[in-house]
Amino acid sequence: MPIRLAVLLSGSGTTLQNIIDRIDRGELDATVAGVISSRPGVFGLERAKRHGIPASEVVRREFSGNEAFNAALWAEIRGLSPDLVVLAGFMSLIAVPPDFQNRIINVHPALIPAFCGHGMYGHHVHEAVINYGAKISGATVHFVDTEYDHGPIILQDTVPVLDGDTPETLAERVQALERELYPQAIQLFAQGRLRVAGRRVFVH
Ligand code: GAR
């Protein structure tokens, strides 16, 4: 039985598209039960609709606080009965109910714990990596806990930072890596091959 994914996003949804493509190619034992956006009218919602996937909005700025936002968000997520919640460029802080501990994953476009945390997303990350003079960057897939980019690391791999890199060229290299790592991590979860012990995730 394929596992049910709830995909949460706030933007263009290239991460969602990759997951849809992998499922279509038979590389992922999963189905996208629904897509939820924290921003209105983003292209990620359109991608979902094009593939006949239920899409909805829980708009962060319409809520005064994180608690009210998360109550609405989780009502929507639970309506999809997901096995796994997949953050795909989701730019709001998600609460982690006890029954979803180690059942929410995120991909971050750098080597956590470097160049991550609040405000570190998209091109900000790559700009920071280049300006710092780091020689490698990479991508990290991790379980989500109550802090930004912080939970137990599932998979992580590197790419070089080249002398001529701009945030755009580095982003391309990192995103190519993300497109491999994220589905891999989802597949390991689907196969029940991940065991979490404290901060460490063991792959069987
Ligand atoms: C991805 O590169 C992902 O790593 C990053 O946002 C992008 C989403 O692209 N996530 C973070 O920075 C999380 N801190 P998309 O909206 O086109 O899928």
Side-chain angles (χ1 to χ4, degrees):
M1 275 288 280
I3 61 162
R4 293 173 63 79
L5 309 178
V7 178
L8 274 53
L9 50 76
S10 310
S12 73
T14 55
T15 309
L16 166 69
Q17 189 64 55
N18 181 44
I19 292 168
I20 292 171
D21 293 346
R22 300 283 173 149
I23 291 172
D24 286 350
R25 300 212 298 258
E27 295 173 12
L28 212 43
D29 300 321
T31 176
V32 181
V35 169
I36 304 169
S37 174
S38 67
R39 289 195 187 135
V42 295
F43 192 61
L45 291 164
E46 179 59 33
R47 288 185 201 266
K49 285 175 199 154
R50 284 180 191 180
H51 289 269
I53 297 166
S56 60
E57 296 174 356
V58 180
V59 178
R60 176 63 186 90
R61 64 161 190 257
E62 289 175 3
F63 296 86
S64 52
N66 218 39
E67 208 166 304
F69 168 68
N70 266 281
L73 180 64
W74 276 100
E76 202 66 30
I77 295 172
R78 287 186 187 284
L80 300 172
S81 305
D83 299 296
L84 182 67
V85 176
V86 177
L87 305 190
F90 187 67
M91 296 305 164
S92 299
L93 194 59
I94 186 171
V96 183
D99 60 326
F100 272 87
Q101 209 190 355
N102 300 330
R103 285 174 62 200
I104 309 170
I105 61 172
N106 181 45
V107 63
H108 181 74
L111 295 171
I112 289 176
F115 306 108
C116 64
H118 192 39
M120 273 292 182
Y121 59 89
H123 71 98
H124 298 292
V125 178
H126 307 300
E127 218 167 72
V129 167
I130 290 169
N131 289 342
Y132 197 87
K135 299 295 187 191
I136 55 168
S137 189
T140 306
V141 181
H142 64 95
F143 284 115
V144 170
D145 66 7
T146 51
E147 294 173 46
Y148 279 108
D149 304 325
H150 183 265
I153 292 170
I154 302 167
L155 294 175
Q156 195 166 43
D157 206 352
T158 60
V159 298
V161 180
L162 304 179
D163 288 348
D165 264 338
T166 61
E168 290 72 30
T169 59
L170 179 56
E172 263 175 48
R173 202 172 304 120
V174 170
Q175 280 163 10
L177 179 59
E178 286 182 38
R179 284 195 293 275
E180 297 304 318
L181 280 192
Y182 215 16
Q184 257 178 45
I186 294 168
Q187 183 65 359
L188 288 170
F189 183 94
Q191 294 172 330
R193 293 174 60 193
L194 300 177
R195 185 173 62 82
V196 185
R199 281 208 54 85
R200 301 193 67 193
V201 181
F202 297 97
V203 179
H204 301 269

